[in-house]
């Protein structure tokens, strides 16, 4: 496994693989790898001949300096896990390499970024779109792999790739969860034992919402209010949003259709968690 730190070096490796007819896959990460990341790497390894994992804690997508400072950084551990997962190249640029003093270009995806995470985290998706554009330019992958937990992000990245003709496929894999349903996240390490126990309420609320749809509920507001009520049973949860939306546009629904998704975000102490679940309604 090789670790490279400049876009020029990464481009040379990727171009050589492409010229040799090898398919290039990329798994963008901010490190602090867990089983969710490893599932993406495993799929990338199965699909492609050159597996690139990017490792960059992107300051541009953090709306709070304290959140950026707390984000776990364990490069040596991440490198060991990446090698065990069959990664060929880690692309790990420095902040100064990615954003030198003269840096003046940003990428904005409109529409999809105005609600939910976009409203809660000022500038977040501009940071995501900018860093993904730079990572894809450096890595030149045929495919890039993301997890469903960051569902709104996956839609934004797909829109970015389509609009800028970047020429790669975005593959989204199911959220990997703990035994009690909590979605794996690098931020989970900041939960206290009590917060960790209560955080499972997010997936429980989503499961209850899906069950209500299977039982015949079609009114989005009833489903949404049920989500909120279930989350509020956890005393430490501070809800930021609970929404039932169109799964393509993320616009709130009044009546469920077959493209619905439930989105939730809540804080447990200083830790902010998000989760989601598709709500498959049978045609009425």
């Amino acid at each position: 496994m090789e670790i490279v730190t400049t876009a020029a070096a990464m481009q040379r490796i990727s171009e050589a693989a492409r010229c040799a007819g090898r398919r290039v896959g990329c798994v963008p990460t901010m490190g602090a790898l867990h089983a969710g990341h490893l599932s993406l790497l495993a799929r990338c390894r199965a699909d492609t001949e050159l597996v690139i994992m990017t490792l960059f804690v992107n300051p541009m997508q953090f709306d709070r300096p304290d959140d950026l400072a707390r984000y776990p950084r364990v490069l040596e551990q991440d490198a060991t896990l990446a090698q065990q997962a069959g990664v060929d190249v880690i692309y790990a640029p420095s902040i100064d390499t990615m954003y030198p003093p003269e840096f003046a270009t940003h990428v904005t995806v409109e529409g999809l970024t105005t609600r939910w995470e976009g409203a809660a985290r000022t500038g977040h998706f501009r940071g995501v779109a900018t860093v993904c554009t730079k990572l894809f330019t450096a890595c030149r992958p045929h495919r890039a792999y993301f997890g469903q937990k960051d569902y709104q992000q996956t839609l934004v990245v797909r829109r970015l790739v389509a609009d800028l003709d970047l020429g790669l496929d975005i593959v989204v894999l199911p959220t990997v969860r703990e035994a009690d349903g909590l979605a794996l996240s690098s931020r989970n390490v900041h939960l206290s034992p009590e917060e960790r126990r209560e955080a499972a309420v997010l997936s429980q609320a989503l499961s209850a919402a899906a069950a209500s749809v299977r039982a015949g509920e079609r009114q989005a507001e009833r489903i949404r209010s049920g989500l909120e009520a279930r989350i509020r049973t956890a005393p430490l949860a501070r809800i930021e949003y609970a929404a039932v939306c169109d799964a393509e546009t993320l616009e709130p629904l009044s009546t469920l259709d077959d493209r619905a998704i439930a989105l939730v975000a809540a804080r447990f102490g200083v830790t902010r968690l998000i989760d989601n679940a598709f709500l498959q309604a049978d045609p009425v």
Side-chain angles (χ1 to χ4, degrees):
M1 185 181 72
E2 187 174 359
I3 299 176
V4 299
T5 59
T6 69
M10 188 66 257
Q11 287 165 346
R12 284 194 295 270
I13 294 170
S14 184
E15 285 301 320
R18 281 175 163 265
C19 289
R22 301 169 70 198
R23 290 186 63 78
V24 179
C26 177
V27 179
T29 84
M30 292 202 299
L33 302 186
H34 51 63
H37 297 111
L38 298 182
S39 73
L40 302 179
L41 291 170
R43 175 66 179 275
C44 185
R45 180 75 277 170
D47 289 351
T48 64
E49 287 77 51
L50 179 70
V51 176
I52 302 167
M53 185 186 87
T54 71
L55 201 166
F56 179 66
V57 181
N58 178 32
M60 196 179 289
Q61 69 190 67
F62 287 79
D63 62 322
R64 292 171 47 178
D66 60 326
D67 190 24
L68 174 61
R70 277 197 308 271
Y71 198 87
R73 293 162 172 83
V74 285
L75 176 59
E76 187 174 335
Q77 175 182 307
D78 288 338
T80 298
L81 290 172
Q83 186 165 30
Q84 292 171 351
V87 170
D88 298 304
V89 183
I90 293 178
Y91 177 45
S94 68
I95 292 175
D96 288 342
T97 297
M98 290 290 278
Y99 305 125
E102 67 275 15
F103 188 83
T105 302
H106 300 85
V107 181
T108 300
V109 176
E110 298 181 348
L112 284 169
T113 61
T114 59
R115 294 184 182 272
W116 318 128
E117 289 300 285
R121 304 176 68 187
T122 303
H124 171 68
F125 283 122
R126 186 177 82 155
V128 168
T130 300
V131 78
C132 283
T133 302
K134 288 180 67 69
L135 293 175
F136 294 156
T137 301
C139 297
R140 296 292 317 282
H142 294 93
R143 288 185 168 186
Y145 297 79
F146 293 83
Q148 184 187 316
K149 181 181 74 68
D150 297 291
Y151 182 75
Q152 188 173 5
Q153 175 178 276
T154 68
L155 295 183
V156 171
V157 174
R158 278 182 165 156
R159 183 76 270 153
L160 165 77
V161 167
D163 287 353
L164 297 186
D165 302 316
L166 296 183
L168 68 144
D169 295 325
I170 301 300
V171 180
V172 179
L173 299 183
T175 301
V176 177
R177 300 180 180 277
E178 299 279 8
D180 63 356
L182 178 66
L184 290 182
S185 169
S186 300
R187 289 183 169 85
N188 289 353
V189 297
H190 298 307
L191 295 167
S192 70
E194 187 177 4
E195 289 165 353
R196 171 60 187 84
R197 286 191 296 273
E198 291 197 11
V201 76
L202 297 182
S203 64
Q204 293 164 3
L206 290 166
S207 295
S212 73
V213 173
R214 290 194 298 271
E217 181 60 74
R218 297 295 180 268
Q219 295 304 306
E221 178 54 27
R222 292 178 186 168
I223 300 167
R224 192 205 64 77
S225 62
L227 273 172
E228 275 203 5
R230 184 62 177 266
I231 296 170
R232 291 190 193 284
T233 64
L236 298 179
R238 290 179 291 145
I239 300 172
E240 289 197 358
Y241 60 78
V244 176
C245 313
D246 183 284
E248 294 180 10
T249 68
L250 297 186
E251 292 297 313
L253 294 171
S254 56
T255 304
L256 228 62
D257 58 22
D258 59 356
R259 302 179 302 169
I261 189 165
L263 308 172
V264 295
R267 290 187 183 274
F268 295 82
V270 299
T271 306
R272 184 176 186 276
L273 301 178
I274 61 174
D275 205 348
N276 61 77
F278 289 111
L279 302 175
Q280 300 295 340
D282 295 328
V284 177

